[in-house]
Amino acid sequence: MPRKIIIDTDPGQDDAVAILLALASPEEIEILGITAVAGNVPLALTARNARKVCEVAGRSDIKVFAGCDRPLAHSLVTAEHVHGKTGLDGPDLPDPTMPLQDQHGVDFIIETLRAEPSGTVTLCPLGPLTNIATALQKAPDIAEKVQEIVLMGGAYFEVGNITPAAEFNIYVDPEAAEIVFKSGIPIVVMPLDVTHKALVTAPRNDAFRSLGTHPGTVVAEWTDFFERFDKEKYGSAGAPLHDPTVIAYLIRPELFTGRNVNVEIETHSDLTRGMTVADWWRVTDRAPNAMFMGDLDADGFFALLTERIGRL
């Protein structure tokens, strides 16, 4: 049976590729809906971008909901300097024609988890955790209904990409992240330690373009745009595709290795706000609350991604 998921996202070129990977994998994944959150760009753009991505895949039947437009406790920090003013700069894509659902994304998450059999729905947050935390605050009963949360966020050895200590998704709303990591729900984390190894090198991007399909070309153009920032910042051979690691894990978990450790979120310090303090070496007696991934098979990851994008 395909695994039922809700994708919570702030597209973002890498979010977009993650959504395409999920849409291209119906044997393993059933998308119950997509909820947009403010993050890489404001909510109006992330909600529009999610629908654009569905239409690239020819899947205007997917239900897309707008969620929270700001973090729980602080003003929104965005990342147009990485993703461009639209959040999906690169290819010239038309405005979506599929509708945005009237229901609030948080209410959709709550309603779906209450309606589906307990332990059958996985939440896949690809952006700040505002929607997930708000749902848990509004309806604490849903925590025991969630099968698993598989998220992209945080870092340990790679430290920060938006501040010296913090990864962007967690930094935007650390109060929300703290709620999620203290929820007792099984959590799998794809931190920068993993995603910085998922580099779209020139041969890997050529493989997307060589598919000869509209989605393949769009993915190549997204990563062409996206990589300029990371190559300059890190001196790397290409851009890391952060968010598709979440979906790849659901399809091929054997591509990833990690440790079940305690992860705490720093919410107060001016220096380290948004830091994911992962007890990687198990030097405390704090109980493990997350499978914190540390490595991946990059060649296997890109082989999967290319094969699946080629199906669309």
Side-chain angles (χ1 to χ4, degrees), residues 287-307:
N289 62 348
M291 174 59 73
F292 201 83
M293 292 301 177
D295 204 359
L296 88 161
D297 172 357
D299 288 338
F301 169 76
F302 278 99
L304 171 66
L305 193 52
T306 306
E307 184 265 320

Side-chain angles (χ1 to χ4, degrees), residues 32 76 92 106 108 127 146 149 175 187 195 204 219 280 282:
L32 301 179
L76 178 64
D92 185 15
V106 168
F108 168 74
V146 180
I149 294 174
E175 286 77 15
I187 297 173
T195 66
R204 287 167 177 166
V219 168
W280 183 261
R282 302 187 178 102

Side-chain angles (χ1 to χ4, degrees), residues 72-124:
L72 296 184
H74 290 265
S75 350
L76 178 64
V77 175
T78 55
E80 287 90 348
H81 62 289
V82 180
H83 299 279
K85 67 182 188 302
T86 70
L88 272 187
D89 282 18
D92 185 15
L93 297 174
D95 285 339
T97 59
M98 61 187 282
L100 186 65
Q101 301 298 309
D102 292 332
Q103 188 178 26
H104 194 283
V106 168
D107 294 329
F108 168 74
I109 292 169
I110 293 169
E111 181 181 284
T112 303
L113 286 168
R114 285 175 171 170
E116 294 288 338
S118 186
T120 63
V121 177
T122 295
L123 302 179
C124 297

Side-chain angles (χ1 to χ4, degrees), residues 23 34 47-65 95-101:
L23 290 170
I34 296 175
R48 184 170 73 180
N49 290 346
R51 289 177 289 148
K52 282 186 177 183
V53 176
C54 292
E55 291 188 354
V56 167
R59 291 297 303 276
S60 56
D61 58 300
I62 299 293
K63 292 182 177 180
V64 177
F65 304 80
D95 285 339
T97 59
M98 61 187 282
L100 186 65
Q101 301 298 309

Side-chain angles (χ1 to χ4, degrees), residues 258-278:
R259 293 185 182 183
N260 192 32
V261 299
N262 179 268
V263 180
E264 301 291 333
I265 310 298
E266 176 57 57
T267 60
H268 300 295
S269 165
D270 290 339
L271 278 176
T272 57
R273 176 176 162 79
M275 185 177 184
T276 45
V277 184

Side-chain angles (χ1 to χ4, degrees), residues 28 39 51 61 96 142 145 153 159 185 190 208 241 248 264-265:
E28 294 92 358
R51 289 177 289 148
D61 58 300
I142 65 172
K145 303 276 285 180
V159 289
I185 299 168
M190 297 294 166
F208 293 136
L241 272 182
E264 301 291 333
I265 310 298

